[in-house]
Amino acid sequence: MTPPDLAFTFDGRPLAARPGASVASALLANGIRTWRHTRTLGEGRGLLCGIGSCFDCLVDVRTDTGTERAVRACVTSLQGGDAVSTSESMGASRTEVRAAVHAGMPAGVLRADVLVVGGGPAGLAAAEGAIEGGVSVVLVDNAARLGGQLMRQPSSDSGGSCPPLSPWLAARHPRLAAAAELAGAPGLAGAPGLTIATGAGIWQLRAGKHCVVAWLEDGLMVEATAVVLAPGATELVAPFPGWELPGVVTAGAAQSLLKAHGQLIGRRVLVSGSGPFLFPVAAGLADAGAKVVAVVEALPARGLAPMVAALARHRDKATEAATYAVALVRRGVPVRTGLMVARCEAGPDGAVSRAVVVPTGEAGGEGRRDAGRALVSDRARVYDVDAVCTSFGFVPRLELARQLGVAEEVRPGQTFAGIRCDEGQATSLAGVFAAGEVTGIAGGEVAALGGAVAGAAAAAYCLGRDPRGGEGDPRGAPAGRRVLRARRFAERVGLVYRTAVPLGVIGDGTVVCRCEDVRAGTVRAALDAGAASSREVRNATRCGMGYCQGRTCGPVVQLLLAEALRTTPAAVGDLQKRPVATPVRLELVARGAGPPA
Amino acid sequence: MTDLSAPAWGDELPSGADIVVVGAGIVGTAIAARLAATGADVCLLERAGPAAGSSSSGEGNLLLSDKLPGPELDLAMRSLSLWHELGDEAGARIELERKGGLVAAWDAAQLSALHALADRQEAAGVAVRRLEGVDLADVEPQLSRHVAGAVFYEADSQVQPVHAVAHQLERAVANGCRTVRGAEALRWRSGVEGAAVLETTCGSLRVGTAVVNAAGPWAGELAARLGSDLPVVPRRGHVLVTEPVVSVTAHKVYEADYVGSIHDAGDGWQCSSVVESTASGTMLLGSSREFVAWSAAPAPAIVAAIAERAIALFPGLAGVRLLRTYIGFRPATPDRLPAIGWDAEIPHLLHATGHEGAGIGLSLATAEAVQCLFERRTPPVGLEAFDPARFSEAPEPTKTAPT
Ligand SMILES: Cc1cc2nc3c(=O)[nH]c(=O)nc-3n(C[C@H](O)[C@H](O)[C@H](O)COP(=O)(O)OP(=O)(O)OC[C@H]3O[C@@H](n4cnc5c(N)ncnc54)[C@H](O)[C@@H]3O)c2cc1C
Ligand code: FES
């Protein structure tokens, strides 16, 4: 029996959506791609990252109790009767504040031995490892359901395409499986020794002597003795003219929309960018019935040769790659290398309708340019599309690590800094452990293995034991070897794709900071005027001062600066210093003076 | 958006200059721009980048309302009129806005003290409007109804300090000022007969008339390096930045005890609420004052207190989201008045610093005063109260951070 549809309105139009839908998936299911106007230029925007990180998909929602302005459509679940309207990108005003986004969450204090931040493979394994080590755990994830990006779970009844988490968990993390069942909706769930808090992010994390305190955006406070940081990474999106159009989204957004809501981002989709992530996304979309017009990889075939060599040495990865290749061939999806999107153009509804693809070389300085430094190519190929997925890799999410002040490093093959940790996943601060993509982009296997070690080490720390004493690494030496092998693969992959971000397509009129409407010309003027760090660019241009606090534009600013100063992105500093890791209502800030006595 | 097509700045260190200004904050750049415009031979040294210090961490208010009648108010009034001239010239670029300031009193006692201050300010030529009841609600409809009364200062204005620094820098460079980035002033070079030579991390340069100490909260450190003793120490402040909001207030609104907190020298921290909108739609909430040296980690208790007091003033802020917080360091002297003038003992050293929480506002009149000192003219505002020598004459315990 199919559950009844939810009735809602968008800008006054009556519409219906499946129960469990997010506001974004409900709008997309109804063919609506634009639902925000930017504040200064009034341009249309829609979905971008799909995971609550970019704040580009802001929308206003009126319910019985009031209006919430500027909430993220991708992480706000739709309720029957909601009146959704185009957002002008401005927040609450006096009369229009609904009580709480996640009304189900009680405000209060949770105490546990170990706080695990992140519910992806690394965080789940860490929680399991810590519980196995004999201590209590609070696991926090800002998504509504556990799983992270890799194991993203369908929202209830909405027909997502991802296999359910429970069997996967049952096989790997038996203690978590039952509790995760309970954590079906945002809120608190638990089992002995384990509390899971989903649907709210940590906005502030502080470490004292033998204690860490986390403040959540819904008012909850968590106190623990040790912490495992496993917040993962955000997707790196490189701008091109038209990347801001509704319908142009990250590859991860298309994937999570499909996994969580069974919703296709479009019917004719171009998947473009650089990196191995393009393939599973394209294969997933094609399998779910989208026409993937092409997969376009910026690196030329010869640049990819080392990738083939790397795959030859890692049979498991080769098998995975082959699965995607077979899926793409079966669906007749062409894979083309050495090409990139030079620009996207809008259709009559203001959302993307065409993608213009050119040889990557032309973007790298060979191409002809008009007065505004925009590329003019004779070898362009035009695709008619209703969605473009783009991805150039991932950037470790360092904001919580920065709040604590743990040491960072740029691992071999990585473009951006991650948390530095030893083989025991210990960071430079006592009681702070890290695992997964936040320590450097290396994939789900390294994350899960590292998470288990981190969880066990955090437990040992709480109990005053030497983590390496006794039986040592809970998974034993073979696990260590697997981590090393997987890291080496990640390193090879990283070196292959490192140089693949084509900045040459960015014309002066291309938007760089989507939150604050800052164009590349303004950023370049700041560079010409002598700005030498990301911070200076931010102060001069407002890049990074918007809702996302530079999560989207920060890495781009870094890359542009590094290019101008002929240095590495890590050398110019980033915009990840965020004393407020996610926007939080002032009434909760006012409450959060400190851990209650 | 701002036009940032400033000429690239950053020259080689010259072999010498008549006047060497140290620090490219709002004060140093205002001085460099003003002197260069008169054709003086000026070189500006900056160890980090433009507005790398206090000047990028303030709210950019140009206030008369918080100034006590006397030399401080006189300097502020002179500076404000110079700002309005600059605003006419620079257009929208520096985001100068005559937004007006409103000072709110919570009870009858506060209100009568506020009125007494306003009376004296009015006598000094400041336009004030006493507001209560419906008149107050008219001007500030979202203000808490628990506010007993307020005074509105229509001349209070605001500027975007980073853009103002960029603008001053551009003017300085256009008039031939040389600017050296990454150059840190270290010490006098000894053993050079008959000439003053300043050593920097980029080499040495001859100084004709003076080194101008515009090193903001580091001015005490610089003075010490140059053989002097100037009690300027960093006074830390937190600022909270909210999401852009539809409309809470169009003015700068603050609690009447703010003025007291500036002059309070207590050891703990003070916080009194300052709430204002900006041209970009976000709101800035302040403000705290504490002496904790250069500690850069935000204090959760202070952040919470600022949020709490801001909500007390504007209950509608409760549901507005906080986007970020930042920390800045004000260059504070023991009496909270700036130090503008020649060093009492060290030749070739002139101070233009110590403006505490008002350096943006006071920068232009400070630059004018410095020019007058060089030209041996009487400045429009008397400088006796700001004489750096006052600290050596009447030794007062210097406020230092607890270690
Ligand atoms: C939270 C906060 C809010 C504020 N709000 C306001 C406000 O609303 N209105 C207002 O008027 N004021 C405000 N202020 C105060 C104002 O910011 C300062 O008074 C003013 O910026 C001081 O400017 P400055 O040029 O003297 O110092 P700075 O801007 O600090 O400039 C000093 C420069 O000198 C450089 N330097 C230091 N030592 C050396 C050396 N040895 N060699 C070379 N370079 C050196 C530094 O790198 C720096 O760039 C506020 C301050 C804070 C902290
Ligand atoms: S894109 Fe969000 S702050 Fe720049």
Side-chain angles (χ1 to χ4, degrees):
Chain A
M1 188 189 87
T2 45
D5 282 353
L6 293 179
F8 73 106
T9 62
F10 177 68
D11 286 345
R13 263 164 65 201
L15 301 167
R18 265 187 290 193
S22 65
V23 172
S25 73
L27 291 171
L28 288 166
N30 283 283
I32 294 159
R33 294 187 285 171
T34 308
W35 56 78
R36 172 168 92 94
H37 292 149
T38 65
R39 208 168 62 251
T40 52
L41 300 175
E43 292 180 348
R45 298 280 190 272
L47 189 72
L48 176 64
C49 81
I51 56 168
S53 147
C54 77
F55 288 78
D56 218 38
C57 65
L58 300 178
V59 75
D60 295 348
V61 182
R62 185 160 48 78
T63 67
D64 310 338
T65 40
T67 299
E68 275 190 89
R69 286 176 180 270
V71 294
R72 289 165 290 177
C74 67
V75 292
T76 303
S77 53
L78 187 79
Q79 283 153 33
D82 279 354
V84 178
S85 55
T86 302
S87 178
E88 303 303 322
S89 332
M90 285 188 285
S93 71
R94 181 179 183 153
T95 50
E96 295 165 310
V97 182
R98 185 160 80 173
V101 184
H102 308 291
M105 295 282 286
V109 185
L110 288 178
R111 288 191 183 79
D113 295 310
V114 177
L115 163 65
V116 176
V117 181
L124 290 171
E128 181 79 15
I131 294 169
E132 233 167 76
V135 300
S136 61
V137 170
V138 173
L139 174 65
V140 175
D141 195 302
N142 59 348
R145 314 201 69 187
L146 295 178
Q149 183 69 8
L150 201 62
M151 291 301 299
R152 183 169 303 281
Q153 289 307 291
S155 72
S156 55
D157 310 324
S158 71
S161 71
C162 190
L165 186 64
S166 327
W168 183 84
L169 271 181
R172 298 174 186 231
H173 307 302
R175 286 178 182 76
L176 286 182
E181 277 296 290
L182 298 172
L188 289 178
L194 171 69
T195 309
I196 297 174
T198 49
I202 294 172
W203 68 271
Q204 181 173 249
L205 186 63
R206 295 268 162 256
K209 270 207 181 79
H210 296 293
C211 96
V212 288
V213 185
W215 287 263
L216 272 64
E217 63 183 306
D218 58 6
L220 198 70
M221 194 188 281
V222 182
E223 276 187 282
T225 310
V227 61
V228 178
L229 297 173
T234 47
E235 217 164 345
L236 171 62
V237 225
F240 47 78
W243 75 305
E244 74 282 11
L245 293 175
V248 180
V249 300
T250 68
Q255 193 187 50
S256 52
L257 196 63
L258 195 58
K259 282 183 177 177
H261 302 291
Q263 175 64 41
L264 281 173
I265 185 64
R267 276 190 287 271
R268 292 179 58 82
V269 188
L270 177 73
V271 178
S272 71
S274 187
F277 186 50
L278 301 181
F279 297 101
V281 172
L285 289 169
D287 276 343
K291 166 88 186 145
V292 177
V293 296
V295 176
V296 162
E297 158 65 53
L299 281 179
R302 72 189 125 76
L304 289 168
M307 187 67 200
V308 177
L311 280 174
R313 296 163 80 153
H314 295 264
R315 192 128 10 107
D316 48 332
K317 303 286 179 190
T319 313
E320 194 185 333
T323 322
Y324 302 136
V326 168
L328 292 176
V329 169
R330 206 180 50 221
R331 305 276 175 195
V333 175
V335 176
R336 311 189 60 201
T337 55
L339 295 176
M340 58 170 305
V341 176
R343 69 175 184 279
C344 281
E345 293 167 4
D349 66 345
V352 66
S353 72
R354 283 156 37 113
V356 179
V357 167
V358 301
T360 312
E362 297 201 6
E366 293 164 29
R368 269 191 306 124
R369 254 147 244 282
D370 68 12
R373 293 191 238 202
L375 201 66
V376 189
S377 175
D378 321 317
R379 289 188 285 163
R381 168 160 187 171
V382 178
Y383 291 97
D384 289 322
V385 292
D386 59 4
V388 171
C389 302
T390 172
S391 176
F392 283 87
F394 299 88
V395 184
R397 280 182 92 143
L398 289 175
E399 55 238 340
L400 295 176
R402 284 277 165 88
Q403 291 187 359
L404 295 178
V406 303
E408 298 162 13
E409 70 174 346
V410 184
R411 281 184 188 263
Q414 304 276 325
T415 306
F416 299 97
I419 299 179
R420 193 180 80 205
C421 55
D422 62 16
E423 321 86 84
Q425 306 295 134
T427 70
S428 62
L429 284 184
V432 180
F433 303 83
E437 305 291 64
V438 76
T439 65
I441 308 308
E445 187 187 3
V446 173
L449 293 169
V453 173
Y461 173 87
C462 293
L463 300 172
R465 288 202 303 251
D466 177 1
R468 270 168 291 258
E471 285 148 63
D473 177 354
R475 305 287 150 110
R481 275 202 297 277
R482 276 165 67 203
V483 173
L484 269 183
R485 250 181 81 74
R487 269 218 188 282
R488 220 170 300 132
F489 180 74
E491 214 172 279
R492 294 201 175 98
V493 173
L495 288 170
V496 171
Y497 289 102
R498 179 141 81 163
T499 51
V501 180
L503 300 174
V505 283
I506 303 178
D508 284 348
T510 309
V511 170
V512 169
C513 178
R514 305 171 64 116
C515 296
E516 292 296 302
D517 279 333
V518 184
R519 299 190 183 277
T522 309
V523 176
R524 288 191 174 122
L527 299 183
D528 289 345
S533 67
S534 294
R535 181 180 171 273
E536 279 174 57
V537 172
R538 184 191 61 195
N539 286 346
T541 66
R542 293 195 65 79
C543 265
M545 289 195 182
Y547 273 105
C548 87
Q549 289 293 294
R551 279 207 197 93
T552 308
C553 64
V556 179
V557 166
Q558 254 180 296
L559 292 167
L560 287 170
L561 257 169
E563 185 194 49
L565 301 174
R566 297 201 169 73
T567 179
T568 63
V572 298
D574 57 37
L575 297 179
Q576 294 221 34
K577 183 181 165 201
R578 295 184 193 110
V580 181
T582 191
V584 55
R585 296 196 315 284
L586 282 166
E587 60 191 330
L588 295 177
V589 178
R591 256 211 248 148
Chain B
M1 285 276 81
T2 327
D3 171 27
L4 281 158
S5 51
W9 79 297
D11 303 306
E12 298 285 297
L13 189 77
S15 61
D18 187 41
I19 294 163
V20 177
V21 179
V22 181
I26 193 77
V27 175
T29 54
I31 293 171
R34 183 148 196 132
L35 295 179
T38 67
D41 172 24
V42 192
C43 175
L44 176 64
L45 304 184
E46 168 56 51
R47 68 175 165 200
S54 307
S55 299
S56 56
S57 47
E59 291 113 321
N61 291 136
L62 316 172
L63 302 185
L64 301 183
S65 51
D66 68 340
K67 304 292 184 300
L68 303 180
E72 195 192 2
L73 181 61
D74 295 344
L75 193 68
M77 289 174 75
R78 176 64 194 156
S79 219
L80 187 62
S81 66
L82 293 173
W83 271 112
H84 287 157
E85 278 171 31
L86 189 69
D88 294 342
E89 170 205 312
R93 170 161 191 202
I94 61 172
E95 292 178 16
L96 186 99
E97 219 188 315
R98 304 183 191 210
K99 65 201 284 189
L102 187 113
V103 185
W106 288 110
D107 53 37
Q110 267 191 2
L111 189 60
S112 74
L114 177 62
H115 282 164
L117 175 65
D119 289 343
R120 290 166 57 212
Q121 289 167 322
E122 195 169 31
V126 180
V128 300
R129 250 168 79 202
R130 293 163 191 80
L131 296 171
E132 270 165 67
V134 281
D135 295 339
L136 180 55
D138 240 17
V139 172
E140 211 59 76
Q142 302 218 30
L143 192 68
S144 163
R145 271 166 299 154
H146 299 295
V147 168
V151 174
F152 184 69
Y153 296 80
E154 66 176 27
D156 280 1
S157 303
Q158 177 159 38
V159 73
Q160 213 289 3
V162 176
H163 293 173
V165 166
H167 180 74
Q168 296 288 37
L169 202 52
E170 187 181 324
R171 287 175 68 209
V173 171
N175 285 309
C177 172
R178 280 155 302 169
T179 55
V180 191
R181 186 198 180 102
E184 176 169 350
L186 297 175
R187 61 189 81 84
W188 297 115
R189 177 130 137 231
S190 53
V192 189
E193 275 303 308
V197 176
L198 182 69
E199 263 184 45
T200 79
T201 46
C202 297
S204 302
L205 83 167
R206 258 180 303 101
V207 178
T209 304
V211 167
V212 178
N213 178 3
W218 297 274
E221 172 197 87
L222 179 64
R225 289 175 178 191
L226 300 180
S228 175
D229 182 17
L230 186 75
V232 173
V233 294
R235 195 178 194 195
R236 187 164 98 133
H238 287 67
V239 176
L240 277 55
V241 187
T242 72
E243 64 186 322
V245 289
V246 181
S247 154
V248 173
T249 175
H251 310 118
K252 177 193 178 80
V253 178
Y254 61 92
E255 294 174 307
D257 68 355
Y258 173 79
V259 182
S261 82
I262 299 174
H263 297 276
D264 192 320
D267 273 328
W269 49 271
Q270 290 100 41
C271 163
S272 54
S273 193
V274 178
V275 174
E276 64 194 290
S277 56
T278 67
S280 62
T282 57
M283 309 223 36
L284 301 181
L285 314 179
S287 146
S288 62
R289 291 184 140 77
E290 51 176 340
F291 293 102
V292 285
W294 299 104
S295 169
I302 296 180
V303 170
I306 292 175
E308 192 185 349
R309 305 213 40 179
I311 295 170
L313 267 185
F314 289 98
L317 283 173
V320 172
R321 286 165 292 183
L322 175 66
L323 288 193
R324 63 193 180 103
T325 65
Y326 62 82
I327 276 179
F329 298 94
R330 308 174 181 89
T333 62
D335 59 10
R336 315 286 173 251
L337 292 179
I340 306 167
W342 290 100
D343 190 89
E345 281 156 36
I346 307 294
H348 300 294
L349 178 60
L350 190 137
H351 302 292
T353 186
H355 297 85
E356 219 267 0
I360 310 298
L362 299 179
S363 59
L364 296 187
T366 300
E368 181 185 52
V370 167
Q371 183 194 349
C372 291
L373 287 172
F374 284 136
E375 294 174 356
R376 296 171 202 284
R377 285 195 287 124
T378 313
V381 176
L383 295 179
E384 296 74 23
F386 311 127
D387 188 350
R390 70 187 187 275
F391 302 118
S392 34
E393 281 157 8
E396 219 182 303
T398 306
K399 201 75 216 174
T400 46
T403 42

